[in-house]
Amino acid sequence: MTSDTKSPGSSRPGGRTARNTAAVLRATLDELGEHGYGALTAERVATRSGVHKATVYRRWGGVDGLLSAALEWSTTHAWEPARTGELRADLYGLAETVVRGFTDAPERDVSAASVAAAFASPEVAAALRVFMADRHARAAVVVADAIDRGEVPADTDAHEVVRAAVAPVYYRLFVSREPVTEADLRRAADLAADAAARGAFTAGPASSSRA
């Protein structure tokens, strides 16, 4: 992570420092969701969190530092994918989770604004990459389960399977700006699961010989 800010609770768990850190980073995400990256300021965050402006500047240095630390903080929150016992269904669940994250209030505003901020700030972009890597690593457990069940080859790249399942969703959400239907989610999951079963995400002959 580009920010050297310690995550909430890493210093004096339950103490004033941890509470203030959590308040500031939560306020950062709330302000981002309500007003967008362009209107995000350290002053707004300080007012909303109840933490003195001088403290906010001293610890995080400004908007990009605040948002980077807030994204890092988000990786400490508990989340794991639903596991149904079938890769196809699990990948559908992941794709559906992505859609909900960008369409359901109140999370949708923060999610969309974080992506927009990453286009404007290299520091935030680096932090978002770390956040997404964390989510991919957690989601990859569904592919590990599929390997254990023999649904896909043992050397399948779990992260690439996850990316293949959710990439069409991100395309519709952020590039073509089309509605994402249940049929779209099922198609993406089916294609990723079928390709994984055929060895498309391995380093073996099946992947190296495909057109």
Side-chain angles (χ1 to χ4, degrees):
M1 176 57 77
T2 56
S3 169
D4 61 1
T5 304
K6 293 181 180 180
S7 57
S10 61
S11 175
R12 293 177 57 207
R16 181 179 179 184
T17 297
R19 291 195 300 271
N20 283 351
T21 299
V24 167
L25 299 184
R26 178 71 263 169
T28 298
L29 294 176
D30 289 343
E31 285 290 320
L32 177 71
E34 290 182 18
H35 304 291
Y37 177 71
L40 182 65
T41 66
E43 288 80 3
R44 281 181 178 271
V45 170
T47 299
R48 186 168 194 142
S49 66
V51 176
H52 197 279
K53 180 173 65 175
T55 300
V56 172
Y57 275 112
R58 183 172 65 252
R59 289 200 63 188
W60 292 281
V63 167
D64 288 355
L66 280 166
L67 187 48
S68 295
L71 288 171
E72 178 182 13
W73 178 50
S74 296
T75 67
T76 68
H77 299 170
W79 178 81
E80 62 180 37
R83 295 154 84 175
T84 68
E86 182 196 21
L87 180 59
R88 194 178 307 270
D90 289 346
L91 294 178
Y92 173 86
L94 290 177
E96 187 179 40
T97 297
V98 171
V99 173
R100 288 201 308 269
F102 287 97
T103 58
D104 288 357
E107 184 182 359
R108 65 182 183 186
D109 294 329
V110 176
S111 299
S114 296
V115 173
F119 279 96
S121 165
E123 184 177 357
V124 175
L128 183 61
R129 284 194 294 273
V130 172
F131 174 83
M132 293 303 299
D134 173 77
R135 284 298 184 265
H136 284 157
R138 298 192 198 198
V141 68
V142 304
V143 185
D145 288 347
I147 291 173
D148 291 341
R149 292 190 299 265
E151 287 186 69
V152 298
D155 58 344
T156 296
D157 187 326
H159 290 229
E160 287 304 314
V161 177
V162 171
R163 289 189 180 94
V166 300
V169 177
Y170 282 109
Y171 176 84
R172 286 177 175 270
L173 288 171
F174 289 102
V175 180
S176 65
R177 303 294 292 167
E178 300 171 80
V180 184
T181 67
E182 181 179 352
D184 296 324
L185 300 181
R186 295 205 178 279
R187 184 183 306 109
D190 288 347
L191 289 171
D194 289 344
R198 294 196 306 271
F201 300 104
T202 70
S207 60
S208 60
S209 63
R210 68 182 186 275

